[in-house]
Structures are given as structure tokens and as C-alpha cells.
Amino acid sequence: MSEKIRIAIDGPAAAGKSTVAKKIARKLSIVYIDTGAMYRAFTLKAIECGVDLEDENSLVELLYETTITLKENGKEQIILLDGKDVTEAIRSQVVSNSVSLVAKHPLIREDMVERQRKLAENKSVVMDGRDIGTNVLPHAEVKIFLIASVEERAKRRYSENKRRGIASDLEQLKAELKERDNRDMNRETSPLIQAEDAIAIDTTELSIDQVVAEILNEVNLFLHKS
Ligand code: DC
């Protein structure tokens, strides 16, 4: 693809953003940037260092001395935290339930957004998160907002956990997702909201391939318009 295209995919937790974004990146041979993984990696470090997750100043000092790298490793993307592979560790329950506490701090977001914009500079990218279309890449050529019912999202997380050999409770997953969405939607800095010019896709009844097809359709519309 010769033309530069930036695809922003936002939405609540477990709406299928990263699965879909990875497929789109592969189909279009463009870079995938998982911004949630960046917040997760830093949250893991903050927990390991014993920093109070409410203490914004200590957190930001720690962040300034932290490197987070997203690296393509054949078919998989791996996440390096200060050079160490944390791809699996950042998906743990404790990180999942703490990350929105860290991500609410304005100074943390400011630094992360700067890192994310740099990663996307002069490239075609698909980037997923919560504030990509509204804040990180407000001029993205294609903006998608993925939604799905909380029941469906909890079921997907449950199956994903099962595949990875992690036992979980459906009702508890539902409660945790609701709490995380609540924090992400109600924080003061860059809350999770649909950008005015984003296309909403409800994935509750759709397969991954159907969602991918809808997004590729939007990409083609853009490419033919320009
Ligand atoms: O997409 P995810 O579940 O891996 O994201 C983890 C958390 O990080 C999520 O609770 C909200 C936060 N996040 C954010 O605030 N902004 C982003 N651009 C991406 C993630």
C-alpha cells in the first residue's frame, strides 16, 4: 500500500480490539500498536517496584526511566519492559485489575501518548486503545469504535482464559469488566468515548472475520476517495 493510512480502533475492554487490529495489520502489512499493552507493562513495573498506584508523581518518575518496546517476533508481537519479555505477565488478573488506576493519571497519559505518537510517525499503522481516535491520532484516516454487550465480552474473556489454562468465574469477570469500563469512561483525562467521526461497530453478534471485513471495507472506501 503506497498511501499512508492510520487506523484507530477504540472501545471498552474485551470488545475484540486487539484480535481484530492484529488481523487488519497482517492483511495490510502495516504496523500494529497495542497501546493497552504499554499501560499494562508500566503497571506491572509499578506493582513490582511497590509504588503506590495513586501516587502520580512517583509513578511518572518511574515511567521516565522505563523503556517499553513492542517487537514483531515472527507471527507474534512481544512486549519488552526494560528489555525483558513481559508478553504473558501483563495479561495477569492483578495487572488487568490495576491498570485503569495507573492509566487515569494525566502525567502518565501525557508521556504514553507522546510515545505512541512517535511509534506512529510517518507510518501506516493500526493502533488500538481507548483514546486513539479522540486524542492520540485525532487525524487518523479511519476511526472505529468497537462495542459489545458486557455479557458477550465476559464470555469471550472466559473462553480466552480457558484456552490459556486459567480458571475464571463468569460473573466475577463481568463485574471486573464493568468496573474497569466505569473507570475508563469516567476518568477526567481522555476518557473512553467515541470520536465524533468514528464508525461504531457492535460486535456482539459478529464473528472476528465479519468485523475485520467491515473495517477493511472502510479502509477501501477511504483509499478510493483519496
Ligand atoms: O486494551 P487493554 O484492556 O489491554 O487496556 C488496558 C487498560 O489500559 C485499560 O483498562 C485502559 C487503559 N488504556 C487507556 O487508558 N488508554 C489506552 N489508549 C489504552 C489502554
Side-chain angles (χ1 to χ4, degrees):
M1 204 169 45
S2 55
E3 188 151 5
K4 190 175 98 173
I5 186 161
R6 291 160 301 178
I7 305 166
I9 303 182
D10 290 301
K17 299 183 299 293
S18 64
T19 310
V20 164
K22 273 182 213 160
K23 287 208 165 205
I24 304 265
R26 215 167 295 146
K27 289 225 181 219
L28 300 177
S29 299
I30 61 175
V31 173
Y32 166 52
I33 302 169
D34 179 352
T35 64
M38 298 172 72
Y39 286 98
R40 284 172 179 271
F42 177 62
T43 301
L44 175 67
K45 177 159 174 176
I47 294 170
E48 281 177 354
C49 292
V51 176
D52 176 359
L53 303 186
E54 291 295 337
D55 181 351
E56 183 172 17
N57 290 331
S58 300
L59 282 174
V60 85
E61 263 178 45
L62 187 68
L63 181 56
Y64 290 158
E65 55 187 49
T66 299
T67 62
I68 300 165
T69 317
L70 308 180
K71 204 170 129 191
E72 288 305 320
N73 182 16
K75 268 169 101 187
E76 280 294 309
Q77 180 164 90
I78 60 168
I79 319 299
L80 301 176
L81 173 65
D82 298 324
K84 186 175 140 215
D85 186 346
V86 292
T87 315
E88 279 292 312
I90 61 169
R91 303 289 157 194
S92 73
Q93 209 58 12
V94 54
V95 171
S96 296
N97 292 337
S98 311
V99 60
S100 54
L101 290 174
V102 173
K104 73 177 182 199
H105 297 298
L107 294 175
I108 299 294
R109 302 201 67 81
E110 198 180 295
D111 188 76
M112 286 291 194
V113 168
E114 202 176 301
R115 291 176 192 229
Q116 290 154 7
R117 286 187 184 144
K118 267 198 198 119
L119 289 174
E121 225 163 44
N122 304 319
K123 283 191 201 89
S124 287
V125 295
V126 49
M127 191 182 268
D128 78 341
R130 303 293 187 287
D131 60 340
I132 311 306
T134 50
N135 187 36
V136 182
L137 302 175
H139 303 297
E141 284 73 21
V142 175
K143 294 184 188 178
I144 305 292
F145 196 77
L146 288 189
I147 47 174
S149 71
V150 70
E151 284 77 18
E152 177 63 22
R153 291 186 286 129
K155 272 195 225 155
R156 290 178 191 168
R157 234 338 105 83
Y158 180 83
S159 311
E160 189 187 321
N161 283 350
K162 204 166 162 193
R163 262 199 312 277
R164 291 165 54 213
I166 303 168
S168 47
D169 177 83
L170 195 60
E171 285 308 310
Q172 191 188 340
L173 283 179
K174 219 195 283 181
E176 285 169 359
L177 281 176
K178 277 188 188 164
E179 189 181 336
R180 191 136 67 94
D181 289 347
N182 214 12
R183 282 201 215 125
D184 290 339
M185 288 189 291
N186 293 307
R187 67 174 174 235
E188 276 176 28
T189 312
S190 310
L192 168 68
I193 44 163
Q194 183 180 337
E196 261 177 34
D197 50 350
I199 294 142
I201 303 177
D202 186 340
T203 73
T204 309
E205 308 275 338
L206 299 180
S207 69
I208 291 163
D209 286 340
Q210 284 173 315
V211 181
V212 170
E214 273 204 38
I215 298 175
L216 289 176
N217 192 35
E218 293 301 329
V219 170
N220 281 329
L221 286 177
F222 163 75
L223 293 175
H224 287 120
K225 227 177 5 186
S226 53

